[in-house]
């Protein structure tokens, strides 16, 4: 019954988050445990990263979100490829999150998620009561782990196919804009500039002013199209928030020619849950895209702080600003995404702006 329920859950979805959430919840219900989590292998670092937690006292499980190969229960399962279990978390030296035991959990089992005989993650279950896992239980959980592993691999492949199609189309549009539209507009601008210079000696009234406005408008159009092309080249988040933000800042400065001051202390972004890191990266990416398209700023400041269990991202520019009440739906299509990410993480999103006084964005998330 358990394997059938999980098989139905894993075959129903192609979205990775839905696959993991549905599968974990089914396993928890059938096994009667109070908490569960899923770790997935980060190929770039060969470490397991926490992808999902369900159940009571989730903050205890978030106290350590990455395990190296051979480290702790998940890391040892990654190395050995077999389940590991304990019925006494408090006294088991191999378990590296004492906060879970302090939250009242006594039993724990970590099961490998496999695809093509390769461990790609772990499924972990925790129970408040002391519980022995029989040979039959272990065999069943291993079979479930194989089902989930294959489903995870299929979901990742589906995501890659969709991402490649989108990136190819965006690259094609960007190339067409750069090689066609921008070059044509630039040629017109040069022609107008040349005409303006020849009219200086015998200038009909107002001609010079009209040409100046035309040249200015063309330059604005060229800048906007370049920013549009920049927005069509999204950066992939590799998991390291500090490194990802530094890369965003460098590329934004190179393309938008706007200096960026980045203040991201390493302790503030260390060991963050992957979904929090990704949300902060995407929020920063969209905020910078809005600055490039709309702000006409000469400086941008990005800062992250972590105090009293609250992580805060602040992005400020000294651009032309706008009236949020009157233009929030049209200025910066990424604002809705920023608000949605904050809500998903039980956090808050704040935007402050006034015409001529820049824009300030703040995302606060409990961690």
């Amino acid at each position: 019954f358990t394997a059938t329920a999980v098989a139905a859950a894993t075959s129903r979805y192609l979205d990775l988050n839905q696959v993991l959430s549905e599968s974990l919840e089914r396993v928890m219900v059938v096994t009667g445990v109070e908490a569960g989590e899923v770790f997935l292998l980060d190929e770039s670092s060969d470490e397991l990263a926490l992808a999902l937690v369900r159940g009571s006292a989730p903050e205890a499980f978030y106290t350590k979100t990455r395990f190296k190969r051979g480290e702790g229960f998940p890391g040892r399962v990654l190395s050995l490829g077999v389940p590991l279990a304990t019925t006494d978390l408090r006294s088991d030296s191999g378990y590296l999150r004492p906060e879970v035991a302090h939250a009242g959990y006594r039993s724990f089992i970590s099961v490998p998620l496999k695809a093509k005989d390769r461990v790609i993650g772990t499924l972990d279950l925790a129970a408040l009561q002391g519980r022995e896992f029989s040979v039959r239980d272990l065999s069943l959980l291993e079979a479930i782990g194989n089902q989930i592993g294959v489903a995870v691999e299929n979901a990742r492949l589906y995501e890659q196919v969709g991402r490649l199609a989108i990136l190819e189309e965006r690259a094609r549009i960007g190339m067409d804009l750069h090689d066609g539209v921008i070059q044509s507009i630039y040629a017109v601008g040069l022609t107008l500039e040349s005409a303006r210079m020849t009219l200086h000696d015998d200038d009909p009234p107002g001609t010079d002013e009209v040409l100046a406005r035309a040249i200015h408008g063309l330059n604005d159009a060229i800048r906007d199209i370049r920013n549009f092309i920049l927005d069509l080249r999204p950066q992939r988040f590799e998991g390291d928030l500090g490194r990802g933000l530094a890369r965003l800042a460098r590329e934004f400065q190179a393309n938008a020619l706007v200096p960026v001051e980045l203040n991201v202390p390493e302790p503030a972004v260390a060991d963050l849950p992957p979904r929090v890191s990704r949300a902060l990266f995407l929020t920063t990416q969209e905020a910078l895209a809005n600055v490039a398209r709309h702000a006409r700023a000469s400086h941008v400041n990005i800062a992250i702080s972590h105090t009293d269990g609250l992580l805060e991202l602040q992005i400020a520019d000294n651009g032309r600003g706008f009236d949020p009440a009157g233009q929030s739906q049209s200025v910066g299509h990424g604002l809705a995404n920023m608000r949605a990410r904050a809500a998903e993480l039980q956090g808050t999103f704040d935007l402050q702006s006034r015409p001529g006084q820049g824009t300030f964005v703040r995302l606060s998330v409990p961690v």
Side-chain angles (χ1 to χ4, degrees):
F1 174 75
T2 306
T4 303
V6 174
T10 55
S11 62
R12 187 180 307 163
Y13 305 109
L14 286 173
D15 177 77
L16 180 59
N17 291 329
Q18 288 181 310
V19 167
L20 295 179
S21 180
E22 186 83 6
S23 302
L24 180 57
E25 289 173 3
R26 290 292 182 93
V27 173
M28 287 174 58
V29 168
V30 176
T31 57
V33 299
E34 288 78 18
E37 62 183 0
V38 174
F39 280 88
L40 294 180
L41 180 63
D42 181 349
E43 301 283 358
S44 63
S45 63
D46 195 38
E47 294 180 353
L48 289 169
L50 184 59
L52 182 70
V53 173
R54 289 288 183 269
S56 59
E59 65 281 354
F61 295 87
Y62 277 121
T63 54
K64 186 171 177 60
T65 60
R66 298 184 76 88
F67 286 91
K68 298 178 181 178
R69 188 178 292 270
E71 180 185 24
F73 270 59
R76 288 159 61 196
V77 170
L78 176 63
S79 295
L80 301 174
V82 297
L84 291 177
T86 181
T87 57
D88 189 359
L89 282 181
R90 286 185 179 273
S91 60
D92 196 314
S93 60
Y95 192 78
L96 303 183
R97 287 178 290 183
E99 294 83 1
V100 175
H102 294 157
Y105 288 98
R106 293 179 57 190
S107 301
F108 186 87
I109 184 170
S110 183
V111 180
L113 303 181
K114 291 184 177 181
K116 299 178 182 178
D117 295 325
R118 186 174 66 92
V119 179
I120 63 169
T122 67
L123 168 69
D124 305 335
L125 304 174
L128 294 172
Q129 303 300 320
R131 173 172 176 171
E132 295 282 353
F133 291 93
S134 66
V135 174
R136 181 177 178 278
D137 292 334
L138 295 177
S139 297
L140 181 60
L141 288 173
E142 279 193 277
I144 291 172
N146 291 337
Q147 289 179 348
I148 297 175
V150 171
V152 167
E153 197 78 345
N154 289 339
R156 283 176 165 173
L157 289 173
Y158 180 76
E159 283 184 354
Q160 289 175 8
V161 170
R163 188 182 301 116
L164 286 174
I166 292 172
L167 290 178
E168 287 175 0
E169 181 65 11
R170 286 179 167 179
R172 184 191 64 78
I173 294 172
M175 187 176 297
D176 289 346
L177 283 171
H178 186 272
D179 294 343
V181 178
I182 279 188
Q183 299 306 320
S184 298
I185 293 176
Y186 187 64
V188 173
L190 290 177
T191 302
L192 286 172
E193 184 67 38
S194 176
R196 179 186 181 190
M197 293 175 65
T198 61
L199 289 171
H200 272 306
D201 295 335
D202 186 16
D203 184 17
T207 301
D208 189 72
E209 182 182 349
V210 171
L211 287 174
R213 286 203 303 268
I215 294 169
H216 180 74
L218 282 173
N219 288 333
D220 280 349
I222 291 172
R223 182 185 58 249
D224 289 343
I225 293 173
R226 281 200 173 117
N227 289 334
F228 177 69
I229 293 173
L230 174 63
D231 196 31
L232 286 172
R233 298 172 181 169
Q235 301 300 319
R236 184 177 178 184
F237 180 52
E238 303 292 346
D240 187 318
L241 181 58
R243 188 179 305 170
L245 294 181
R247 178 163 48 88
L248 279 181
R250 285 195 306 270
E251 296 185 1
F252 175 81
Q253 289 182 132
N255 288 282
L257 302 180
V258 177
V260 177
E261 181 179 345
L262 189 65
N263 183 12
V264 182
E266 178 63 29
V269 295
D271 296 323
L272 290 177
R275 63 191 188 120
V276 173
S277 296
R278 179 176 173 79
L280 267 63
F281 176 86
L282 293 176
T283 296
T284 304
Q285 185 178 54
E286 289 179 340
L288 289 177
N290 282 341
V291 172
R293 284 195 302 267
H294 306 293
R296 307 289 193 267
S298 62
H299 185 267
V300 178
N301 183 278
I302 302 171
I304 288 183
S305 60
H306 188 178
T307 56
D308 298 329
L310 189 69
L311 189 72
E312 189 167 279
L313 166 68
Q314 297 183 0
I315 304 167
D317 69 71
N318 65 346
R320 60 183 183 178
F322 64 99
D323 179 8
Q327 302 181 27
S328 60
Q329 297 304 314
S330 61
V331 177
H333 64 265
L335 294 179
N337 292 337
M338 299 181 201
R339 292 191 178 94
R341 290 193 192 97
E344 289 173 2
L345 297 172
Q346 287 78 52
T348 59
F349 175 79
D350 180 39
L351 182 144
Q352 301 173 22
S353 185
R354 293 180 64 183
Q357 298 188 20
T359 301
F360 174 79
V361 169
R362 175 170 51 211
L363 176 66
S364 300
V365 180
V367 293

